[in-house]
Structure formats: structure tokens, C-alpha cells
Amino acid sequence: MNSPTAQFVSLTRMGIYEPIHQMSMWGDFKGNVCPNTSAFMIEEMSTKLNSQSEDTSQGSLEPPNKYIKEAVKPADRVLRRLAQNREAARKSRLRKKVLRRLAQNREAARKSRLRKKAYVQQLETSRLKLIQLEQELAQAKRQGLYISGGLDASRLGYSESVNPGIAAFEMEYVHWVEEQKIQVCELRTALNSHVVEIELRILVDGCMNHYFNLFSKKATAAKADVFYIISGLWKKPAERFFLWIGGFRPSELLKVLMPQFDLWAEQKLIDIYSLRQSCQQAEDALSQGMDKLQQILAESVAAGQQGEGSYIPQVSTAMEKLEALVSFVNQADHLRRETLQQMSRILTTHETAMALLALGEYFQCLQALSSLWASRPREPA
């Protein structure tokens, strides 16, 4: 038990490290344990052990760049992950916004289809009533009677019978005015609530197309009775006071809208002023054409010989000249359309919405003025 080997084993089990005994054991190992091992192999193993210990000692003295880089990598991954999360959240918000707008557009389209369906049904009902009224009127004429409280054809510009094209236009125009009131309210709400530009653009395009539809309806009605369109019997009395070839003067309209342009850029004011001058020149040309047509009609009607009692030749000649009136109405509406389009090109979406709102309110003021004038108190005769 007192031998060196037993003492080494007991110390090793106790966790005690003694270099002296290791050296003595190394000597025993070289001399006794491996007697057949050459001195060269022992020296080579000793050299490898020494070199490994030197490498280990030298490596411990170098700066741990490898570990610093490995410690930085997780932080970069975290930052990169946060950036990806932010980008994903932004795309998600944008996607939700687009979906919400699409849902709003679908709802607006659905409501528009319902309004159109109700309008078509109303037109069909009115058409049936109109056919019935024409039948009653024809029957009354055959019997030589007058229907009390019936349709006053002379007030509407009809000579003997109701013109179906004009009656349809009157109903369409009533619906057009009601739709314009809704659009004006929508524009006012959108401007006050500061909606995004794409939603405001939809409203602006809708208002522009609404005016264009009116011009198309007027072109169809002018073919049915051009005098009815030019006289403006389908408008309120105050609106007829400012009438020019079946509608508003584009230059006067821009003049009314000029107060809305005061706060805008100087270049835009110059462009609007140039547009107004161009409109005035085109209006003067059309007015001169109308004056020339009136002169030609007067000469055609007065060309017949007096005392003959027959007006057929000169009336036939005048009828041919009157076909040009439809062209004048269409040219005037084309000028109005071009004025609105040029104005929208000069102005931004927000500014165009403001101009269309001012235009709609201007027409509503004229209609209100007509209603007040009609309901004013009158002195007894």
C-alpha cells in the first residue's frame, strides 16, 4: 500500500495533481511499461505535445475576433427581422386600405345600379302614362272638347300633340338635377373630410361625366325639337335669363369661378384667363353664325310674293335652313365640354373638385332664386 503506484492512484482519485509523481511515472513508463518503444518515437510524441501547448498558449493571447463576430450576427438578424416585420406590417396596412377602397367602390357601384334600375322603372311608368295621355288628348280633339287641368301643350312648346322625345328629355332632366344635388353633397363632404386623392378623383370624374351625359341628352332632344332646347323651357326662369344657345356661356362660367382661383398659383390664373379668352372668341363666332342664320331665315320667309296667300315655297326653304340650328346647339355643347376638360387639365384634382362644387352650388342658387320668385307675394290686380 506504501508503493509509489498505490500512492499515485489514491492521489488521483482524490483529485490531487502532483507533477513530481507524474515525472516519476513518466520515467517508469519509459523504462518499464514500454521497454520496446524506441527513443525516437518518445521524443516525437514529446515534441508534438510541446507544440500543441505552445499553440494553445499563443491562441489564448490573440484577440477573440471570431467570437465578437459571432456575437454581432444575432443582433444583425434581430434588426433584419424587425425591418422585415415593419415592411410586412406596412404592406398589410396598404393591402387593407386598397381592399377597403375596393369595397367602397363596389358599394357605390351597387347603389348606382339600384338608382339606375329605379330610374328605368320610373321612365317606363312615365312612358305608359305619356301614351295614355296622348290617347286621351287625341280622343278629346276628335270630340272637340278640352280636358280640364290637362297638359298645356302650348306652354311646353308643342303645337298640336305631345312630342315623346321632349317628354322623355324633361323626365331625364328632372332626374339629372336630383343626381347633381347628390353629387354636390358628396363633393362637399369629401372636401371637408380631406379624403385621399384617388377617392376625390372618382367623385370628380363622376361629376364631369354627369355634365357630359346632359350634353348627349340635349343632342338627342334637339333632333326632336330644337326650338324647345334653344328656348330653355326645360330650365328654371332665372336660369333662362343667362341662357346662351341652350345652355350656359363657358366664359361667364369661368368668370363666376374666378373667386375660387384667387388663392392658386399665378401660372394657373394665367392659364384660366387664357382659357376664358379662347371661350369668348368661340362664343362670338357661334353668336355671329346664329345672327347670320336669323338673317337668312328672315330673307327666306320674306322672299314670297305678297297677296298670293300661299306660304309653302318660302316655308319649305326656311325648313331647310333650320336644320343648321341643331348643329349650333351641338357646337355650343361641345364648347362647354371642352371648357370643363381644359379646366380639369389645368387644375389639380382638389382644385377641380372645388371648381365643380362652386359650379353646382351656382346652379342651385339660380334654381332657388327661381323658386323664391315664383312664390313671391303678389299684389291683387
Side-chain angles (χ1 to χ4, degrees), residues 182-235:
I182 296 174
Q183 290 182 348
V184 168
C185 293
E186 290 177 349
L187 273 178
R188 187 184 299 109
T189 303
L191 289 173
N192 292 334
S193 58
H194 305 287
V195 299
V196 294
E197 185 175 358
I198 185 173
E199 296 181 4
L200 196 61
R201 183 78 256 177
I202 293 173
L203 293 176
V204 168
D205 292 341
C207 291
M208 297 285 285
N209 292 329
H210 193 58
Y211 283 103
F212 299 161
N213 290 336
L214 177 62
F215 300 151
S216 300
K217 296 178 190 301
K218 285 173 60 181
T220 304
K223 295 177 182 178
D225 190 350
V226 66
F227 289 110
Y228 176 83
I229 297 298
I230 289 181
S231 62
L233 291 174
W234 44 284
K235 284 185 171 292

Side-chain angles (χ1 to χ4, degrees), residues 334-349:
H334 179 73
L335 179 60
R336 297 179 186 104
R337 178 193 292 263
E338 288 294 321
T339 303
L340 292 175
Q341 289 178 339
Q342 289 294 332
M343 182 185 70
S344 66
R345 294 190 187 103
I346 294 172
L347 306 178
T348 62
T349 302

Side-chain angles (χ1 to χ4, degrees), residues 76-245:
D76 292 340
R77 285 197 295 269
V78 170
L79 292 176
R80 193 161 53 248
R81 196 167 298 167
L82 289 174
Q84 292 174 355
N85 292 340
R86 285 195 296 269
E87 182 66 17
R90 187 185 67 82
K91 291 182 178 179
S92 177
R93 289 194 300 270
L94 182 61
R95 192 181 304 110
K96 291 179 180 179
K97 191 174 183 180
V98 171
L99 292 175
R100 186 167 61 251
R101 290 176 184 171
L102 290 175
Q104 292 174 354
N105 293 341
R106 285 194 297 269
E107 182 65 19
R110 187 184 68 83
K111 292 180 179 179
S112 178
R113 287 193 298 270
L114 291 176
R115 287 196 299 267
K116 184 178 180 181
K117 184 178 180 180
Y119 172 58
V120 171
Q121 293 176 351
Q122 181 183 2
L123 281 181
E124 184 65 22
T125 304
S126 301
R127 187 181 68 84
L128 296 175
K129 291 181 179 180
L130 180 62
I131 293 174
Q132 183 181 1
L133 183 61
E134 287 180 342
Q135 293 174 352
E136 292 177 357
L137 185 60
Q139 183 179 3
K141 285 183 178 181
R142 285 194 301 268
Q143 295 176 357
L145 302 176
Y146 295 96
I147 302 176
S148 177
L151 180 65
D152 188 358
S154 61
R155 183 183 66 83
L156 295 177
Y158 308 135
S159 56
E160 293 183 356
S161 61
V162 176
N163 191 325
I166 296 303
F169 173 76
E170 280 192 336
M171 291 183 293
E172 290 175 350
Y173 181 70
V174 170
H175 178 74
W176 186 91
V177 171
E178 295 299 325
E179 187 70 21
Q180 187 192 33
K181 292 178 181 179
I182 296 174
Q183 290 182 348
V184 168
C185 293
E186 290 177 349
L187 273 178
R188 187 184 299 109
T189 303
L191 289 173
N192 292 334
S193 58
H194 305 287
V195 299
V196 294
E197 185 175 358
I198 185 173
E199 296 181 4
L200 196 61
R201 183 78 256 177
I202 293 173
L203 293 176
V204 168
D205 292 341
C207 291
M208 297 285 285
N209 292 329
H210 193 58
Y211 283 103
F212 299 161
N213 290 336
L214 177 62
F215 300 151
S216 300
K217 296 178 190 301
K218 285 173 60 181
T220 304
K223 295 177 182 178
D225 190 350
V226 66
F227 289 110
Y228 176 83
I229 297 298
I230 289 181
S231 62
L233 291 174
W234 44 284
K235 284 185 171 292
K236 298 289 185 180
E239 292 178 297
R240 291 200 296 268
F241 182 72
F242 298 97
L243 202 67
W244 174 77
I245 314 183

Side-chain angles (χ1 to χ4, degrees), residues 260-299:
Q260 301 292 330
F261 306 149
D262 288 343
L263 301 178
W264 296 343
E266 182 179 359
Q267 183 60 41
K268 292 183 179 180
L269 291 175
I270 295 174
D271 294 338
I272 293 294
Y273 184 74
S274 300
L275 177 61
R276 184 186 171 193
Q277 285 185 327
S278 301
C279 291
Q280 286 178 339
Q281 294 174 0
E283 290 168 8
D284 292 342
L286 286 175
S287 298
Q288 291 174 6
M290 287 286 292
D291 294 340
K292 184 67 175 177
L293 180 61
Q294 288 179 353
Q295 182 180 355
I296 293 174
L297 285 174
E299 292 174 355

